[in-house]
Amino acid sequence: MPGRSDQTVPLAVKIVVSGGLGVGKTTFIAAVSEIEPLDTEAPITQVSVGVDSLDGVESKTTTTVALDFGRIRLGPAIALYLFGTPGQARFSFLWDDLVEGALGTVVLADTRRIEDCYPALDYFEAQDAPFVLAVNRFDGAERFEPDEVREALGLRAEIPVLECDARERGSVRDVLGVLMDRVIGFRAAPGRRAAVARG
Ligand SMILES: Nc1nc2c(ncn2[C@@H]2O[C@H](COP(=O)(O)OP(=O)(O)OP(=O)(O)O)[C@@H](O)[C@H]2O)c(=O)[nH]1
Ligand SMILES: [Mg+2]
């Protein structure tokens, strides 16, 4: 491409990491970011009582109140900019701004509280960008086959359902790799805009 050096200027790709409260979004981004991840953790306050369910994550004392942000290079040509959504439902008004320009999304799920990912699924199914569903393995959580998770959530066959450990860099990279395959396939599909922001 004229005027562009592949050695020095990677394509900048915006990716969103979403899912229910305490599902591991901040952990997922921190595990893989090559820059000091920005997080906006704050103590969970009384305002949350009766609004945000902490069932299953009772030990959680802080929560993301605005966003998480991290960056990872995928080879020399692509840099992923990762934006994590806040988990509490009362901050969902931030999502519209956060997803602006995003090319794909990882929706994280916890099988102990699988229904908590419905708001994110509903939201990202309506977006014009692909997403993958990644089940974050928590200690003591029952294991389910990806197809069982797919069926329980009513996901279409073409949506990838994966398992991951949000604390492990390699595992997070694997999820992002599958998402990028989807993003590339989606952008290349006939009738789609090949609109990838240039870094
Ligand atoms: N065992 C286990 N614990 C995890 C894993 N991922 C995250 N955790 C823990 O789960 C808790 C919640 O993780 P966070 O990354 O803060 O979750 P979050 O989705 O960002 O939470 P909110 O921003 O409040 O919605 C933390 O104590 C993590 O250490 C995992 O894969 N396995
Ligand atoms: Mg968080």
Side-chain angles (χ1 to χ4, degrees), residues 127-198:
Q127 300 290 313
D128 187 32
F131 69 90
V132 300
L133 191 281
V135 174
N136 191 11
R137 278 191 296 264
F138 281 88
D139 306 330
E142 196 177 343
R143 296 281 297 277
F144 294 93
E145 292 300 322
D147 278 345
E148 293 179 283
V149 175
R150 177 193 309 288
E151 195 176 329
L153 293 174
L155 291 175
R156 297 190 308 277
E158 70 268 22
I159 310 270
V161 177
L162 316 155
E163 267 193 305
C164 74
D165 186 327
R167 298 164 300 180
E168 288 186 12
R169 179 180 169 80
S171 181
V172 172
R173 275 191 76 111
D174 288 347
V175 173
L176 293 172
V178 172
L179 176 62
M180 284 311 293
D181 287 345
R182 292 279 300 167
V183 167
I184 290 164
F186 182 85
R187 305 316 287 189
R192 297 283 176 200
R193 289 165 292 131
V196 180
R198 306 237 177 277

Side-chain angles (χ1 to χ4, degrees), residues 86-111:
Q88 292 176 311
R90 64 203 164 90
F91 292 121
S92 55
F93 66 90
L94 291 171
W95 287 20
D96 288 340
D97 288 334
L98 261 178
V99 307
E100 179 82 37
L103 296 195
T105 299
V106 176
V107 176
L108 282 172
D110 175 354
T111 55

